[in-house]
Amino acid sequence: MRIKDMEIQQRPREKALRSGVKSLNDAELAALLLSSGVKQRTVEQIAHDLVRKSENFSRLPKMTLEELMEIDGIREAKAFQIQAALELSMRAMRAQSYACPIHKPQDLVLWFEMEYGILAQEHFVGVYLDTKGEIITHKVLFKGSLNESVIHPREIFREAFIHNANSIILVHNHPSNDVTPSPADLSTTSLLINVSKTMGIKITDHIIVGQNKYYSFKEHRALH
């Protein structure tokens, strides 16, 4: 059924106005974002194809412009529209983390899952905090497989001294989506904890992120 053939109260926009955007199912939400169809296809058909091709949105953050445009009815403008919505969501999560003190992993992981959990290469990030636990800045410090030979403590702590940070949270992604710490993760974390004691700047957590999952060394009492 096309949107214009639905009863007004069942149309995605009217339903969202009445009950909120969260009331929409996946296809309705996609249809609301896409806003219109093309000559040969309704917006509902395109929306259902988007849900299906993205595997209920699980693959959506990784889909390229070209992959989105493989869906009949999604041309460049709509593909950019979808990518812009994803980028907006990620920036909102980042801004939310910056706006409040970081007390627990959940204050960071949504942002890092969205921005780094989807990447095909490991990124090692330092998040630098002030005395209130608020983020001063964050920086990608290293790229590639995490091991002691590529992780240089001087780079991590140099940034801390530059920004007068009180503490650091380390974050990196596992492209495999298995967030279990590897032997290299464990040995590198132990090395950095020991260096931090000498430097007088505490490492309060090391978080490994994937897509919609994470591992916190702090939560697992593994910061030693």
Side-chain angles (χ1 to χ4, degrees):
M1 181 183 292
R2 297 174 301 176
I3 285 180
K4 67 180 182 179
D5 295 329
M6 295 178 178
E7 293 184 16
I8 290 177
Q9 64 269 26
Q10 292 303 317
R11 296 175 184 175
R13 184 176 299 175
E14 284 71 19
K15 184 177 177 181
L17 283 170
R18 186 177 67 254
S19 304
V21 173
K22 289 183 181 294
S23 69
L24 303 181
N25 63 35
D26 288 350
E28 290 170 336
L29 187 62
L32 187 63
L33 176 63
L34 293 167
S35 76
S36 63
V38 293
K39 188 174 181 180
Q40 295 81 17
R41 307 200 76 207
T42 66
V43 68
E44 300 79 33
Q45 291 171 320
I46 301 169
H48 279 287
D49 283 354
L50 176 60
V51 173
R52 181 170 57 253
K53 188 174 180 66
S54 67
E55 297 176 9
N56 297 314
F57 298 149
S58 65
R59 290 187 57 249
L60 194 57
K62 284 188 171 183
M63 290 178 70
T64 65
L65 200 70
E66 291 73 23
E67 285 180 294
L68 290 168
M69 291 171 64
E70 289 173 1
I71 298 172
D72 188 11
I74 294 183
R75 301 192 179 98
E76 188 177 80
K78 288 190 183 297
F80 274 126
Q81 196 170 313
I82 293 166
Q83 290 191 332
L86 290 168
E87 180 68 16
L88 183 64
S89 297
M90 184 275 294
R91 293 190 189 189
M93 292 299 101
R94 182 198 299 166
Q96 188 172 355
S97 292
Y98 263 83
C100 302
I102 306 300
H103 296 303
K104 55 189 183 300
Q106 290 83 357
D107 297 331
L108 278 177
V109 293
L110 283 177
W111 157 30
F112 274 90
E113 286 171 357
M114 291 186 71
E115 185 165 0
Y116 297 96
I118 64 169
L119 299 179
Q121 183 184 34
E122 285 192 19
H123 285 59
F124 185 90
V125 183
V127 181
Y128 299 92
L129 310 176
D130 63 17
T131 55
K132 297 179 181 178
E134 297 178 350
I135 299 175
I136 302 169
T137 189
H138 74 282
K139 184 176 181 180
V140 175
L141 297 164
F142 311 104
K143 296 180 184 180
S145 297
L146 182 61
N147 59 67
E148 292 177 29
S149 65
V150 299
I151 299 298
H152 304 295
R154 65 177 177 271
E155 296 296 328
I156 297 169
F157 292 96
R158 183 173 69 88
E159 289 295 322
F161 287 121
I162 288 173
H163 296 287
N164 196 28
N166 181 67
S167 59
I168 308 169
I169 296 175
L170 307 174
V171 188
H172 80 280
N173 62 304
H174 276 185
S176 66
N177 206 35
D178 178 358
V179 296
T180 306
S182 68
D185 294 336
L186 296 170
S187 61
T188 300
T189 302
S190 180
L191 168 68
L192 294 174
I193 292 293
N194 288 332
V195 174
S196 74
K197 294 174 182 176
T198 302
M199 294 293 183
I201 299 175
K202 188 176 182 180
I203 292 175
T204 58
D205 204 351
H206 183 180
I207 302 170
I208 302 170
V209 296
Q211 295 183 61
N212 303 314
K213 60 176 68 174
Y214 75 94
Y215 177 96
S216 162
F217 278 70
K218 181 180 179 180
E219 287 185 342
H220 287 82
R221 301 181 185 278
L223 285 176
H224 49 72

Coordinates of all heavy atoms in Angstrom, one line a residue, residues 107-150:
D107 N 29.1 6.0 29.1 CA 29.2 7.4 28.8 C 30.0 7.6 27.5 O 29.9 8.7 26.9 CB 29.8 8.2 29.9 CG 29.0 8.1 31.2 OD1 27.7 8.0 31.1 OD2 29.6 8.2 32.3
L108 N 30.7 6.6 27.0 CA 31.5 6.8 25.8 C 31.2 5.8 24.7 O 31.4 6.1 23.5 CB 33.0 6.5 26.2 CG 33.8 7.6 26.8 CD1 35.2 7.1 27.1 CD2 33.9 8.8 25.8
V109 N 30.7 4.6 25.1 CA 30.7 3.5 24.1 C 29.8 3.7 22.9 O 30.1 3.3 21.8 CB 30.4 2.1 24.8 CG1 31.5 1.8 25.7 CG2 29.1 2.1 25.5
L110 N 28.6 4.4 23.1 CA 27.7 4.6 21.9 C 28.4 5.4 20.8 O 28.4 5.0 19.6 CB 26.5 5.3 22.4 CG 25.4 4.4 23.1 CD1 24.2 5.3 23.5 CD2 24.9 3.3 22.2
W111 N 29.1 6.4 21.2 CA 29.9 7.2 20.3 C 31.0 6.4 19.6 O 31.1 6.3 18.4 CB 30.5 8.4 21.0 CG 31.7 9.0 20.3 CD1 32.0 9.1 19.0 CD2 32.8 9.7 21.0 NE1 33.2 9.7 18.8 CE2 33.7 10.1 20.0 CE3 33.0 10.0 22.3 CZ2 34.9 10.8 20.3 CZ3 34.2 10.7 22.6 CH2 35.1 11.1 21.6
F112 N 31.8 5.7 20.4 CA 32.9 4.9 19.8 C 32.4 3.7 19.0 O 33.1 3.4 18.0 CB 33.8 4.5 20.9 CG 34.9 5.5 21.2 CD1 34.6 6.5 22.2 CD2 36.1 5.6 20.5 CE1 35.5 7.5 22.5 CE2 37.0 6.6 20.8 CZ 36.7 7.6 21.8
E113 N 31.3 3.1 19.4 CA 30.8 2.0 18.6 C 30.4 2.5 17.2 O 30.6 1.9 16.2 CB 29.6 1.4 19.3 CG 30.0 0.5 20.4 CD 28.8 0.0 21.2 OE1 27.6 0.4 20.9 OE2 29.0 -0.7 22.2
M114 N 29.7 3.7 17.2 CA 29.3 4.3 15.9 C 30.4 4.8 15.0 O 30.4 4.6 13.8 CB 28.3 5.4 16.2 CG 27.0 5.0 16.7 SD 25.8 6.4 16.9 CE 25.4 6.7 15.1
E115 N 31.4 5.4 15.7 CA 32.5 6.1 14.9 C 33.6 5.1 14.6 O 34.2 5.1 13.5 CB 33.0 7.3 15.6 CG 34.1 8.1 14.8 CD 34.4 9.5 15.3 OE1 33.8 9.8 16.4 OE2 35.2 10.2 14.7
Y116 N 34.0 4.2 15.5 CA 35.1 3.4 15.3 C 34.8 1.9 15.2 O 35.6 1.1 14.7 CB 36.2 3.6 16.5 CG 36.7 5.0 16.5 CD1 36.1 6.0 17.3 CD2 37.8 5.4 15.7 CE1 36.6 7.3 17.4 CE2 38.2 6.7 15.7 CZ 37.7 7.6 16.6 OH 38.2 8.9 16.6
G117 N 33.7 1.5 15.8 CA 33.4 0.1 15.8 C 33.1 -0.5 14.4 O 33.2 -1.7 14.3
I118 N 32.8 0.3 13.5 CA 32.5 -0.2 12.1 C 33.8 -0.2 11.2 O 33.7 -0.7 10.1 CB 31.5 0.7 11.4 CG1 32.0 2.1 11.2 CG2 30.2 0.7 12.2 CD1 31.2 3.0 10.4
L119 N 34.9 0.3 11.7 CA 36.1 0.5 10.9 C 36.8 -0.9 10.6 O 36.8 -1.8 11.4 CB 37.1 1.4 11.5 CG 36.6 2.9 11.7 CD1 37.6 3.7 12.3 CD2 36.1 3.5 10.4
A120 N 37.4 -1.0 9.4 CA 38.1 -2.2 9.0 C 39.5 -2.3 9.5 O 40.2 -3.3 9.4 CB 38.1 -2.3 7.5
Q121 N 40.0 -1.2 10.1 CA 41.4 -1.2 10.7 C 41.3 -0.8 12.1 O 40.5 0.1 12.5 CB 42.3 -0.2 9.9 CG 43.7 -0.2 10.3 CD 44.5 0.8 9.6 OE1 44.0 1.9 9.2 NE2 45.8 0.6 9.3
E122 N 42.2 -1.3 13.0 CA 42.2 -0.9 14.4 C 42.7 0.5 14.5 O 43.6 0.9 13.9 CB 43.1 -1.9 15.2 CG 42.5 -3.2 15.4 CD 43.3 -4.0 16.5 OE1 44.0 -3.4 17.3 OE2 43.1 -5.3 16.5
H123 N 42.0 1.2 15.4 CA 42.3 2.6 15.7 C 42.5 2.7 17.2 O 41.6 2.2 18.0 CB 41.3 3.6 15.3 CG 41.3 3.9 13.8 ND1 41.1 2.9 12.8 CD2 41.5 5.0 13.1 CE1 41.1 3.4 11.6 NE2 41.4 4.7 11.7
F124 N 43.6 3.2 17.7 CA 43.8 3.3 19.1 C 43.7 4.8 19.5 O 44.4 5.7 19.0 CB 45.2 2.8 19.4 CG 45.6 2.8 20.9 CD1 45.3 1.7 21.7 CD2 46.2 3.9 21.5 CE1 45.7 1.6 23.0 CE2 46.5 3.8 22.8 CZ 46.3 2.7 23.6
V125 N 42.8 5.1 20.4 CA 42.4 6.5 20.7 C 42.7 6.8 22.2 O 42.3 6.0 23.1 CB 40.9 6.7 20.4 CG1 40.5 8.2 20.7 CG2 40.6 6.3 19.0
G126 N 43.2 8.0 22.4 CA 43.3 8.5 23.8 C 42.3 9.5 24.1 O 42.1 10.4 23.3
V127 N 41.5 9.3 25.2 CA 40.5 10.3 25.6 C 41.0 11.0 26.8 O 41.3 10.3 27.9 CB 39.1 9.6 25.8 CG1 38.1 10.7 26.3 CG2 38.7 8.9 24.6
Y128 N 41.3 12.2 26.8 CA 41.9 13.0 27.9 C 40.9 13.8 28.7 O 40.1 14.5 28.2 CB 43.0 13.9 27.3 CG 44.1 13.1 26.5 CD1 43.9 12.9 25.1 CD2 45.1 12.5 27.2 CE1 44.9 12.1 24.5 CE2 46.1 11.8 26.5 CZ 45.9 11.6 25.2 OH 46.9 10.8 24.5
L129 N 41.0 13.5 30.0 CA 40.0 14.1 30.9 C 40.6 15.1 31.9 O 41.8 15.0 32.3 CB 39.3 13.0 31.7 CG 38.8 11.8 31.0 CD1 38.3 10.7 31.9 CD2 37.7 12.2 30.0
D130 N 39.8 16.0 32.3 CA 40.2 17.0 33.4 C 39.9 16.5 34.7 O 39.5 15.3 34.9 CB 39.6 18.4 33.1 CG 38.1 18.4 33.2 OD1 37.5 17.4 33.8 OD2 37.4 19.3 32.8
T131 N 40.1 17.3 35.8 CA 39.9 16.8 37.1 C 38.4 16.5 37.5 O 38.1 15.8 38.4 CB 40.4 17.9 38.1 OG1 39.7 19.2 37.8 CG2 41.9 18.1 38.0
K132 N 37.5 17.0 36.6 CA 36.1 16.8 36.8 C 35.6 15.5 36.1 O 34.4 15.2 36.1 CB 35.2 18.0 36.4 CG 35.5 19.2 37.2 CD 34.6 20.4 36.7 CE 34.9 21.7 37.5 NZ 34.1 22.8 37.0
G133 N 36.5 14.9 35.3 CA 36.1 13.8 34.5 C 35.5 14.1 33.2 O 35.0 13.3 32.5
E134 N 35.6 15.4 32.8 CA 35.1 15.9 31.5 C 36.2 15.8 30.5 O 37.4 15.9 30.7 CB 34.6 17.3 31.7 CG 33.4 17.4 32.6 CD 32.9 18.9 32.8 OE1 33.6 19.8 32.3 OE2 31.8 19.1 33.4
I135 N 35.7 15.5 29.2 CA 36.7 15.3 28.1 C 37.3 16.7 27.7 O 36.5 17.6 27.4 CB 36.0 14.7 26.9 CG1 35.4 13.3 27.3 CG2 37.0 14.5 25.8 CD1 34.6 12.6 26.2
I136 N 38.6 16.7 27.7 CA 39.3 17.9 27.2 C 39.4 17.7 25.7 O 39.2 18.6 24.9 CB 40.7 18.0 27.8 CG1 40.6 18.1 29.3 CG2 41.5 19.2 27.2 CD1 42.0 18.0 30.0
T137 N 39.9 16.6 25.3 CA 40.1 16.3 23.8 C 40.2 14.8 23.7 O 40.4 14.0 24.6 CB 41.3 17.0 23.3 OG1 41.3 16.9 21.8 CG2 42.6 16.4 23.8
H138 N 40.2 14.3 22.4 CA 40.5 12.9 22.1 C 41.4 12.9 20.9 O 41.3 13.8 20.0 CB 39.2 12.1 21.9 CG 38.5 12.3 20.6 ND1 37.7 13.5 20.4 CD2 38.5 11.6 19.5 CE1 37.2 13.4 19.2 NE2 37.7 12.3 18.6
K139 N 42.2 11.9 20.7 CA 43.1 11.8 19.5 C 43.3 10.4 19.1 O 43.5 9.5 20.0 CB 44.4 12.5 19.9 CG 45.3 12.6 18.7 CD 46.6 13.4 19.0 CE 47.5 13.4 17.8 NZ 48.7 14.2 18.0
V140 N 43.2 10.1 17.8 CA 43.7 8.8 17.3 C 45.2 8.8 17.4 O 45.9 9.6 16.7 CB 43.2 8.6 15.9 CG1 43.8 7.3 15.3 CG2 41.7 8.6 15.8
L141 N 45.8 7.9 18.1 CA 47.2 7.9 18.4 C 47.9 6.9 17.5 O 49.1 7.1 17.0 CB 47.5 7.5 19.8 CG 46.9 8.6 20.8 CD1 46.9 8.0 22.2 CD2 47.8 9.8 20.8
F142 N 47.3 5.7 17.2 CA 47.9 4.7 16.4 C 46.9 4.0 15.6 O 45.7 3.9 16.0 CB 48.6 3.7 17.3 CG 49.5 4.3 18.3 CD1 49.2 4.3 19.7 CD2 50.8 4.8 18.0 CE1 50.0 4.9 20.6 CE2 51.6 5.4 18.9 CZ 51.2 5.4 20.3
K143 N 47.3 3.5 14.5 CA 46.4 2.7 13.6 C 47.1 1.4 13.3 O 48.3 1.4 13.1 CB 46.1 3.4 12.3 CG 45.3 4.7 12.5 CD 45.0 5.4 11.1 CE 44.3 6.7 11.3 NZ 44.0 7.3 10.0
G144 N 46.4 0.3 13.2 CA 47.0 -1.0 13.0 C 46.8 -1.9 14.2 O 46.3 -1.5 15.2
S145 N 47.2 -3.2 14.0 CA 47.1 -4.1 15.1 C 47.8 -3.7 16.4 O 48.9 -3.2 16.3 CB 47.7 -5.5 14.7 OG 47.0 -6.0 13.6
L146 N 47.1 -3.8 17.5 CA 47.7 -3.3 18.8 C 48.7 -4.3 19.3 O 48.4 -5.5 19.6 CB 46.5 -3.2 19.8 CG 46.8 -2.7 21.1 CD1 47.4 -1.3 21.0 CD2 45.6 -2.7 22.0
N147 N 49.9 -3.8 19.5 CA 51.0 -4.6 20.2 C 52.0 -3.6 20.7 O 52.0 -2.4 20.4 CB 51.6 -5.6 19.3 CG 52.2 -5.0 18.0 OD1 53.2 -4.2 18.2 ND2 51.7 -5.3 16.9
E148 N 52.8 -4.1 21.6 CA 53.8 -3.2 22.3 C 54.8 -2.6 21.4 O 55.3 -1.5 21.7 CB 54.5 -4.0 23.4 CG 53.6 -4.4 24.5 CD 54.3 -5.3 25.5 OE1 55.5 -5.1 25.7 OE2 53.6 -6.1 26.2
S149 N 55.0 -3.1 20.2 CA 56.0 -2.6 19.3 C 55.5 -1.3 18.6 O 56.3 -0.5 18.1 CB 56.4 -3.6 18.3 OG 55.3 -4.0 17.4
V150 N 54.2 -1.2 18.5 CA 53.7 0.0 17.8 C 53.0 1.0 18.7 O 52.8 2.2 18.3 CB 52.6 -0.4 16.7 CG1 53.2 -1.3 15.7 CG2 51.4 -1.0 17.3

